[in-house]
Amino acid sequence: MTIKTEKTTTEPAETTEADETAEKAETAEPELVEDELDEDLDDDSEEIPVAPAGDGIGAGAAAVVSAGLGLAALTGTWVGKVSSERETLIGQIKAQGGTAAQQINEIYADAWHATALVNGVFAFLGLIVAVLVLTRPRRPAWVGAVAVAGAVLGGIGMFLSAGMYFDLFLSLPTAPTAP
């Protein structure tokens, strides 16, 4: 088996003026002129494009939710009522045969504290949602107003719930002492 090889020679081809210009452009480093740089830096007339503000539907919905949660904390909820009734029933079962003070504590105090705890959770959630909405940039004015209302209602709800839970506003009833 024989392999034929062809001998090729490369002879310099004629170079044209366009080839020389392209070759110089590839090897040459770009030159910067100081005047052009200064002109670019001093040009403050360009406006930076700003993304259009959204319509704020999500923030508005969250603000309304925060106000609703704050209002629910102040007026009470079905969940609070159910937990209160549950604690009352458990207290009645535990208090059978106990002293009057034990019966009051088991039947009344536990239900009162359960209601305060549930209302406090609703107030806390309303307050957190309101604060999150208020920290969002570029929200419509009405969203901020509703979120502030939600924060105020949540704050008042937290205060009242804490007062109810720790018996700051009303103390537990006491049984009369036997003569």
Side-chain angles (χ1 to χ4, degrees):
M1 181 161 142
T2 60
I3 300 176
K4 291 184 180 179
T5 57
E6 291 184 24
K7 202 174 197 182
T8 58
T9 59
T10 57
E11 296 178 13
E14 292 182 24
T15 58
T16 63
E17 191 175 309
D19 292 337
E20 289 177 4
T21 306
E23 198 173 295
K24 285 181 184 177
E26 288 176 1
T27 59
E29 291 184 22
E31 293 182 17
L32 297 178
V33 179
E34 257 186 58
D35 294 337
E36 289 177 13
L37 285 176
D38 289 340
E39 185 178 302
D40 288 342
L41 292 175
D42 292 337
D43 189 19
D44 292 335
S45 64
E46 290 183 27
E47 288 189 31
I48 298 173
V50 178
D55 50 7
I57 291 175
V64 171
V65 166
S66 73
L69 287 170
L71 187 63
L74 292 177
T75 61
T77 62
W78 179 78
V79 176
K81 181 70 172 165
V82 169
S83 66
S84 173
E85 292 295 325
R86 182 179 185 277
E87 288 298 323
T88 299
L89 180 61
I90 292 171
Q92 288 173 351
I93 293 170
K94 286 183 181 178
Q96 289 178 354
T99 65
Q102 286 174 336
Q103 288 178 354
I104 290 172
N105 190 40
E106 292 294 331
I107 295 171
Y108 177 74
D110 289 348
W112 181 257
H113 293 153
T115 301
L117 186 63
V118 170
N119 289 347
V121 167
F122 274 87
F124 181 72
L125 290 175
L127 188 61
I128 293 299
V129 171
V131 168
L132 290 175
V133 169
L134 289 172
T135 58
R136 285 184 46 93
R138 296 187 187 176
R139 63 185 180 279
W142 71 271
V143 171
V146 174
V148 167
V152 168
L153 289 172
I156 292 171
M158 288 287 294
F159 174 72
L160 291 177
S161 295
M164 280 176 62
Y165 190 82
F166 294 112
D167 300 322
L168 299 177
F169 304 126
L170 299 171
S171 61
L172 285 175
T174 57
T177 56

